[in-house]
Amino acid sequence: MLKTYTYRSLQESDIQRLITRNTDPSRSIQQSVMAIMDEVRTNGDNALRMYAEKFDGVQLTDLALGSSDIAALASTIGREQQRALEIAFANIHRFHETQLRKERTVETMPGVTCWREPRPIERVGLYIPGGSAVLPSTLLMLGVPARIAGCREIVICSPPQADGRINGYIAYCLQLLKIETIYLTGGAQAIAAMAYGTDTIPKVDKIFGPGNQYVTKAKSLAQSLTNVSIDMPAGPSEVLVIADGTANPAYVAADLLAQAEHGADSQAILVSTDQHLVDEVQTALAAQLTQLPRADVASKSIANSYALLCENLEEAMAFSNRYAPEHLIIETDTWEPLVRKVSNAGSVFIGHLTPESAGDYASGTNHTLPTSGYARSYSGVSVDAFVKKITFQHITAEGLRNIGPTVEVLAELEGLQAHKNAVSVRMG
């Protein structure tokens, strides 16, 4: 079960240890990923087929499925599942469509007008994890804002299933998104394929999507080795729950396990002001674990997680901001003052009746979020992530008379005579 620490007994070195996760001190992950990326860069499709056999146990002839295959697979799922995906699609679309706003034009001085306009990134690559859990929800979370942004081409990569295809849920999401091709490759090799391009898979301008430490490292290397950018470092999932004596221990345990079942390297942290609640959560964890099909995975994650006892909720929030969780759940009756104190978190779930699962699937907010402390400096995926914002300016004759002398003086003091001349020749 959860190891328990008392916040005020910790030294600074202890706190640093508790907030650090998913490191690669021996650089073994980086070395493995570099080898995979080099292989894909050199051998392209042949490397992808080799890795499909090695990692997925599948011998692939074709690395892509087209619209007819997608339609056939989508037709295999039941109407109840279709309807759930449709509702999730609609809510995600409703939340994200408000994010594409026209900005105000600003006249910085008479005759000098400046503004910004968004332009979609032309070709984006979306990585949809497979592995032990297939995530059609991630396809919606990435595909919907890409569509709203107006990206010209959306390249989808996901690991093949045992039959060399994809499951019907992902296929149905592809139909909702009006995407007619999916590429059958996963892991670091999928990131490499989108970064370098192969005969089958186009090179993209920006790569999106969560994954394990290998995928996260591949995204980081792709950004440093090529001209491809990435959404954010989004590795193994994590949750931090702040709970006091008003929380329901069964709810808290369920929220911790909802993250723990993602993978053995996920973290589920409980920060509480109440020892009795911690004890009850430990009991509830043990009981609920026995009911989970993925109990083995969740147990390993819980063993790598912990509970932290704090004197008060302000102390709990201070620790949370240092940890900077991907998901923050605040389970207390007095949550309103705490919301104002949140400075570092990917997405926040407030109150006793707001499980993180709602955001993972269907409330509308995006579940592709920064992990491993990157919530200190990154936001989650939004429509903004799929566009560039280009600045424009227009200067009239009056504007040139107003701004010209200032530009001439500044160019001269920097010793850039040609810059000055570009204004002077216009002013006559």
Side-chain angles (χ1 to χ4, degrees):
M1 289 293 100
L2 295 170
K3 298 179 288 291
T4 302
Y5 303 92
T6 302
Y7 185 63
R8 296 208 172 176
S9 68
L10 298 175
Q11 302 296 315
E12 177 61 24
S13 59
D14 299 320
I15 295 174
Q16 285 297 328
R17 177 175 55 81
L18 291 177
I19 67 175
T20 301
R21 59 271 197 202
N22 299 319
T23 58
D24 183 25
S26 68
R27 296 169 65 96
S28 61
I29 293 175
Q30 177 166 320
Q31 290 168 8
S32 297
V33 171
M34 279 293 296
I36 291 171
M37 295 187 72
D38 285 343
E39 183 71 24
V40 173
R41 180 175 56 83
T42 304
N43 295 312
D45 287 350
N46 288 334
L48 297 180
R49 292 188 183 93
M50 182 266 289
Y51 286 126
E53 186 170 1
K54 179 179 180 180
F55 296 133
D56 305 309
V58 178
Q59 290 185 337
L60 294 177
T61 302
D62 296 322
L63 290 169
L65 295 178
S67 57
S68 59
D69 289 318
I70 290 168
L73 290 165
S75 68
T76 63
I77 71 172
R79 183 57 194 147
E80 182 182 17
Q81 289 77 26
Q82 290 179 350
R83 182 60 182 148
L85 291 169
E86 289 165 4
I87 292 171
F89 174 90
N91 287 351
I92 295 164
H93 196 285
R94 192 171 293 117
F95 179 75
H96 286 77
E97 68 183 347
T98 66
Q99 297 168 6
L100 197 60
R101 294 191 179 97
K102 181 176 175 59
E103 296 186 16
R104 185 169 63 93
T105 299
V106 178
E107 190 175 55
T108 56
M109 60 195 314
V112 180
T113 307
C114 304
W115 70 97
R116 293 201 308 172
E117 293 185 15
R119 295 290 187 271
I121 297 171
E122 292 188 4
R123 181 182 283 161
V124 296
L126 312 185
Y127 178 66
I128 312 304
S132 61
V134 178
L135 304 177
S137 56
T138 297
L139 178 51
L140 294 179
M141 294 290 175
L142 297 175
V144 168
R147 276 286 181 232
I148 291 170
C151 298
R152 178 175 57 82
E153 187 171 356
I154 302 172
V155 176
I156 312 282
C157 287
S158 191
Q161 302 297 287
D163 61 359
R165 300 162 80 80
I166 56 171
N167 74 20
Y169 309 115
I170 285 182
Y172 194 71
C173 290
L174 290 170
Q175 289 196 316
L176 291 174
L177 293 163
K178 296 180 170 54
I179 293 171
E180 297 184 346
T181 305
I182 185 169
Y183 299 100
L184 302 172
T185 182
Q189 61 271 26
I191 305 303
M194 291 188 284
Y196 293 117
T198 73
D199 288 343
T200 300
I201 300 176
K203 173 180 167 59
V204 303
D205 301 310
K206 188 172 183 178
I207 297 172
F208 295 77
N212 60 22
Q213 293 187 64
Y214 290 85
V215 169
T216 302
K217 181 62 68 176
K219 287 170 64 179
S220 176
L221 289 170
Q223 183 165 247
S224 64
L225 296 173
T226 72
N227 61 353
V228 171
S229 65
I230 64 171
D231 51 355
M232 74 191 84
S237 194
E238 60 197 35
V239 67
L240 186 147
V241 179
I242 293 177
D244 62 8
T246 67
N248 184 320
Y251 295 176
V252 174
D255 290 333
L256 295 171
L257 290 172
Q259 284 304 302
E261 73 174 353
H262 271 297
D265 52 1
S266 297
Q267 273 206 327
I269 311 303
L270 171 59
V271 182
S272 181
T273 58
D274 190 301
Q275 177 68 66
H276 182 61
L277 175 77
V278 172
D279 294 339
E280 289 189 312
V281 169
Q282 298 274 32
T283 301
L285 282 171
Q288 291 183 28
L289 264 171
T290 64
Q291 308 300 313
L292 296 179
R294 294 171 62 84
D296 183 54
V297 170
S299 295
K300 291 174 182 175
S301 172
I302 291 296
N304 292 324
S305 303
Y306 56 87
L308 183 66
L309 276 169
C310 294
E311 290 288 321
N312 50 57
L313 290 172
E314 288 71 24
E315 196 171 86
M317 181 54 68
F319 177 80
S320 175
N321 283 327
R322 294 198 64 181
Y323 185 89
E326 176 191 20
H327 305 98
L328 170 62
I329 304 177
I330 302 175
E331 299 195 47
T332 169
D333 287 347
T334 55
W335 54 263
E336 289 188 58
L338 294 183
V339 170
R340 294 190 293 271
K341 297 179 185 295
V342 176
S343 57
N344 298 320
S347 191
V348 185
F349 303 80
I350 300 166
H352 303 299
L353 301 179
T354 314
E356 183 270 321
S357 308
D360 259 0
Y361 290 111
S363 64
T365 61
N366 208 287
H367 80 197
T368 309
L369 303 165
T371 66
S372 304
Y374 283 104
R376 299 184 192 98
S377 54
Y378 283 85
S379 305
V381 163
S382 67
V383 173
D384 282 348
F386 290 90
V387 300
K388 306 98 59 178
K389 294 192 176 180
I390 303 171
T391 58
F392 296 82
Q393 54 204 282
H394 177 255
I395 300 176
T396 65
E398 179 191 17
L400 189 61
R401 289 193 299 271
N402 287 329
I403 201 171
T406 297
V407 175
E408 287 179 313
V409 170
L410 293 174
E412 193 166 50
L413 70 84
E414 290 191 351
L416 298 175
Q417 187 64 38
H419 279 64
K420 178 183 177 183
N421 291 344
V423 171
S424 301
V425 298
R426 287 172 165 82
M427 295 185 68

